[in-house]
Each structure stands twice: as structure tokens, then as C-alpha cells.
Amino acid sequence: MALVDKRTNHGDKIRTNPPDWSALIPVLPGDGPRSRELYAALRRLIETGALAAGAKLPTTRDLAQRFSLSRSAAVACFETLISEGFAVARVGAGTFVAPDVPHLPTTLVKPRPPEIDAATSLPCGLGVAVSDPRTLDMFRILLSRHLIRPGPEHFRYGDPRGGLPLRTAIANYLRTARGVRCDAGQIVLTSGTQQGLDFLVRAALSPGDAVWIENPCYPMAHAVLAGSGARIFGVPVDAEGLDPEIGESLCPKARAAYVTPSHQYPLGVTMTMRRRLALLDWARRNDAWIIEDDYDSEFRYAGPPLTSLQGMDGSGRVAYLGTFSKILFPGLRIGYVVVPETLLDAVMAVRARSDRFPSTLAEGALTDLLNEGHFAAHLRRVRRRVQAARDVLVAGLEAHCGDALEVTVPEQGLHLMATLKEAGPDTAIVEAAKAAGVGARALSSMFIGGAPRQGLVLGFSGFSDEELTAATVRLGGVVRQQAR
């Protein structure tokens, strides 16, 4: 350790140790460049005022010895501090903390509470996919197949629409399963329905444009439209779906309409053929766009899936949104939009100034999953499992909540509606249910103006029979307590 000369009152020299810098500088981690670690430690002491302006820094030889550094690493640390204005070197005197260095606040910042992980959804919560071991094993095999010899598409910027093989496979699937009229050139891959809707809204609408949306509505769709500056008109939904006649009375010249015709969110109704034809006629007459969110269309338990609204459109006014999040798993982050030809260039312009092109990592594996028949087999398996889960939830609600809730058994989708038999704040029930470990959403929060209906939206996908049954027991206690 270096020594410092001092003098006593009688003029005699004595040699003493300099300040103990090791008490101020923590042990340096060994997983990064050592000079950078030392630099960060010294800079932190200077910025917080632990080392005052004008204070002399230890020599590079001393620092190298104390922290087992090379002399060159310590010299590099000092050079960085000097070049950035945190220290000054004086010939023959040493290195000192620079004057007028701004200090950081030393008060502790209160830590934020941990964020809730969406993967830990409460029973009866929404947005949980079925984990199918056979599909996951197959997907892992297919993914490994493509990663062992990665193709050139991973190492260059690609088509902003996404890889052609996957878009072709999706187009083939949609034509067969949903009656969609499209080819691969119209399909744009996205990270999910939300991004696809955002692309369409930014491409087709301008701030101030009027838009129809179902009432009650999907809250995230409402958020996208509101964020775009659109004037939103909530069009009532009844047993036949959105009513275009009422929509025309509210705003006949709306620029677009957002609908979930196959399985309306949140009420779960299917738009009738009469309403579909009326909606298509309105869009044709007014040169308006229809954004069809084919929500949960793959999960139909009575009869074949209905043909998409887009498949009935003869004027090119319908954009079709789909996703693999619910069918496979949300972590895949792959959805798609079938874009009308006249809107494609505008959508591509939006993509170009946002994320350029979609991820290619899982495209090959998903393409094989579709083309080799694994996806169809997966869908058959999970459809049976989800239908069985629906029946378990319905039985539990009828047994434990039947005196307070009127349950509508859905023929499609991954959630059901339970209406309160006595008017009451469904929002209070949802909060109490959450505290009891039950996931639910308040129906009233999804209405746009007017007198909202009171009810609970409950999911049944992705939970075991035991979890669903136990949840209905707890929910029964909650609704009875709230009724008192």
C-alpha cells in the first residue's frame, strides 16, 4: 500500500496510510471489462458526492494492487474519467475529482410492486390457451429442424408481409376452414390481432373519421380506435349481432365498422345472415371498410364453423383479422391480416415505418405444422378439451351460483356470459372475486354510454376441472356476500 509523508509539530516526517478507498468501492464483479467496472464504481462515488470536488484519487498503482487489476486497466479507467470531465490530472500532483460535477440525488426510490405475470392467470380468467403436450413436442421437433440449418431469411431483412411459405399455408387454411377469399399476396403477418388492427386503422382512417364499434365491445379494439382519434359510435348488439340499421341512424357515413361476427365479444352471439348482408350492403354503398375480427371462430361446438364475413364480400371492403395466440399459445406472437387489395399499399407503408417485417424465427415450424396436418389434429384435440371445460364450468356455476347468476351456455368460443339476476355492481363482484382467487371481467365496463348490463365474463380455457370447480365454489360465496 502506498504511503503518504506528513510532518509533526516538531517538523519530523512520519509516513501514514492514505484514505481506505476499499471501504467506498465495492468488490468489482468479474464478468465484464475490469477497467469499466472500476470506472463505474468511481463515477458513482463522484456523482453521489461521496467523493467531493477536488478530492484526490488514489494512484493507479494503488488501485491495481487493491482490486487485483492490471496497471493498464487502472490507467484506462482514469483516462475515461478525465475524458468525460469527472476527473482532472495535475502534472506531478496526481488525479483529482473535477470541480462542478453535478450530483445525483441520494434519496432512495421506493421500489415498485412486482408486476402481475399474465401467465399466472386466475381460474376463469380470459386469454389462456390450452397447453397440449403432443403439439408442443411436435413444434419443438419442427423448430429444431429449421434451426439446425437456418435459412438465409434469418440473416437479412425480408418481405414486410412475412415469409411466403407461411403466408401460402395460412391462405390455404383460411380458404378451406373459413371460406376466406384470398391469396398469399394479401396476407400480412403480425404479432397478433392487436397489431393487425393497429395497421388497418392507421392505413384506412384519419383523425376525426367516424367508426362503428359493437356495444358492448372488445376494450382493446376500442383503445386502438380511440388512440387513432376516431369518432366512435357504439352500435347496439342483440341476439342477431350488431344492428346496421341502428348504426345508419347514428352515423350513416361512418368510414369503418369493427365487428366480431362469428363470436361477438363479450356477449358471445353470432351475427345472423340477415345482419351480415345488411352490413356488407352498407359498406358497399358508402365506400366504407369492415374490419372483421374472427374472434375464437375455430372453437365451435355445434355444427361446422360459419363462413367468414370476408368470404361473402364481393366488393373488397372487408379486412380479416386472425391469430394463432388462442389456438396454439400467445407466446408464439404470430397473427395475420387478410388485406383488401386496394388497402394493401397503405398497410405496407405503415409496416415500413413501424417494425419493417415480422420475426422469421418460428415461421418455418408453423408452416410445417399447418402443411403436415399437425395443426388440424391439434385443433381437434383442444376443441374437445375446451368443450369439456366449458361443461365443467357451467355445471359448477349452476350448482354454486345458480341463485345469483343466469348462465348462457355458449356454442362457440372460450368464455361464457353470466348475467346477475339482481341488479348490482358487477365491478364490485369482480374485485371481490379477484381477492378470492377467481378471474372475471365486468360486463358493464365494456359498454359505451347508456345503461350497461350487469354481468360476469368468465373464461374456461386452459384450466383444469378441479380449478374451475373450486373457482365456482369461491365465486358463489362472493356473489352471496355481495347480495347481502
Side-chain angles (χ1 to χ4, degrees):
M1 180 178 295
L3 299 177
V4 176
D5 288 345
K6 289 189 177 181
R7 293 182 180 272
T8 67
N9 293 334
H10 303 288
D12 299 327
K13 284 186 178 181
I14 61 171
R15 298 175 69 81
T16 61
N17 292 332
D20 185 7
W21 289 87
S22 59
L24 293 176
I25 303 176
V27 176
L28 302 179
D31 56 353
R34 305 287 280 161
S35 62
R36 295 297 298 177
E37 300 294 349
L38 178 60
Y39 157 80
L42 286 173
R43 175 175 170 172
R44 183 167 51 249
L45 294 175
I46 294 170
E47 288 182 320
T48 58
L51 294 179
K56 185 176 181 180
L57 299 179
T59 66
T60 56
R61 182 181 290 106
D62 187 24
L63 287 173
Q65 178 182 349
R66 293 183 186 212
F67 297 106
S68 300
L69 298 170
S70 67
R71 179 76 179 280
S72 61
V75 170
C77 163
F78 273 34
E79 289 176 345
T80 303
L81 288 171
I82 293 169
S83 67
E84 294 186 352
F86 290 99
V88 293
R90 298 174 187 167
V91 178
T95 306
F96 300 81
V97 177
D100 303 323
V101 175
H103 290 167
L104 296 178
T106 57
T107 55
L108 295 177
V109 178
K110 184 178 180 181
R112 295 182 179 181
E115 295 184 5
I116 297 175
D117 185 355
T120 60
S121 235
L122 297 174
C124 298
L126 306 178
V128 182
V130 175
S131 175
D132 183 68
R134 290 174 61 180
T135 300
L136 292 176
D137 287 343
M138 179 54 63
F139 190 79
R140 182 165 51 249
I141 292 170
L142 297 175
L143 192 61
S144 298
R145 175 196 297 175
H146 288 272
L147 289 179
I148 289 173
R149 295 182 180 85
E153 67 273 11
H154 304 307
F155 303 95
R156 63 191 181 197
Y157 287 83
D159 192 317
R161 291 170 296 182
L164 179 59
L166 179 54
R167 290 188 288 114
T168 301
I170 291 173
N172 293 336
Y173 165 72
L174 291 177
R175 284 194 297 266
T176 302
R178 303 294 299 120
V180 173
R181 301 179 185 181
C182 68
D183 58 39
Q186 293 175 257
I187 292 180
V188 177
L189 300 182
T190 68
S191 64
T193 298
Q194 199 71 8
Q195 186 184 43
L197 177 58
D198 183 60
F199 283 173
L200 291 171
V201 167
R202 288 198 280 159
L205 302 179
S206 299
D209 282 350
V211 181
W212 294 356
I213 192 171
E214 297 164 326
N215 194 19
C217 67
Y218 177 49
M220 295 305 294
H222 184 276
V224 172
L225 293 170
S228 73
R231 293 184 295 121
I232 300 173
F233 291 82
V235 181
V237 173
D238 57 22
E240 293 189 72
L242 177 142
D243 190 339
E245 186 174 338
I246 296 180
E248 291 208 63
S249 69
L250 294 172
C251 181
K253 298 298 182 181
R255 190 76 184 96
Y258 169 86
V259 292
T260 53
S262 295
H263 182 241
Q264 200 274 334
Y265 186 94
L267 298 181
V269 301
T270 300
M271 185 179 288
T272 61
M273 183 61 69
R274 180 173 70 92
R275 293 274 176 86
R276 291 176 182 232
L277 293 175
L279 183 61
L280 290 170
D281 179 63
W282 164 80
R284 179 186 55 78
R285 286 186 286 107
N286 291 280
D287 197 28
W289 299 108
I290 297 173
I291 301 175
E292 178 184 13
D293 183 349
D294 209 14
Y295 184 78
D296 286 353
S297 63
E298 295 85 0
F299 294 96
R300 184 167 176 82
Y301 314 116
L306 300 177
T307 299
S308 66
L309 190 65
Q310 193 271 359
M312 301 169 58
D313 174 31
S315 56
R317 307 308 304 171
V318 180
Y320 179 96
L321 290 167
T323 181
F324 292 98
S325 293
K326 300 288 185 61
I327 318 172
L328 293 172
F329 48 95
L332 183 62
R333 306 312 300 142
I334 296 181
Y336 50 88
V337 187
V338 180
V339 184
E341 291 282 359
T342 54
L343 196 56
L344 189 57
D345 287 344
V347 169
M348 287 298 90
V350 173
R351 161 54 63 80
R353 61 179 183 262
S354 55
D355 64 348
R356 295 284 295 275
F357 71 105
S359 170
T360 61
L361 185 61
E363 280 189 4
L366 182 54
T367 301
D368 293 345
L369 204 73
L370 287 163
N371 289 341
E372 296 176 9
H374 310 299
F375 178 79
H378 164 81
L379 189 53
R380 288 193 295 269
R381 289 193 300 272
V382 298
R383 188 185 289 127
R384 289 193 296 267
R385 288 174 58 183
V386 172
Q387 183 176 3
R390 177 203 65 178
D391 295 342
V392 169
L393 179 59
V394 170
L397 291 172
E398 291 176 346
H400 305 293
C401 310
D403 53 342
L405 300 177
E406 182 177 345
V407 178
T408 301
V409 182
E411 294 185 349
Q412 186 165 317
L414 305 176
H415 75 269
L416 58 77
M417 272 292 310
T419 305
L420 299 182
K421 290 185 176 180
E422 295 184 7
D426 54 5
T427 52
I429 293 177
V430 165
E431 288 301 314
K434 181 180 178 181
V438 180
R441 291 188 184 176
L443 176 61
S444 65
S445 66
M446 303 178 198
F447 278 84
I448 305 171
R453 290 168 52 186
Q454 301 288 313
L456 306 178
V457 183
L458 304 168
F460 44 82
S461 170
F463 305 105
S464 68
D465 294 354
E466 293 75 16
E467 288 176 314
L468 292 173
T469 301
T472 61
V473 174
R474 296 194 296 272
L475 184 59
V478 167
V479 293
R480 283 188 291 273
Q481 179 68 30
Q482 292 290 318
R484 293 177 183 174

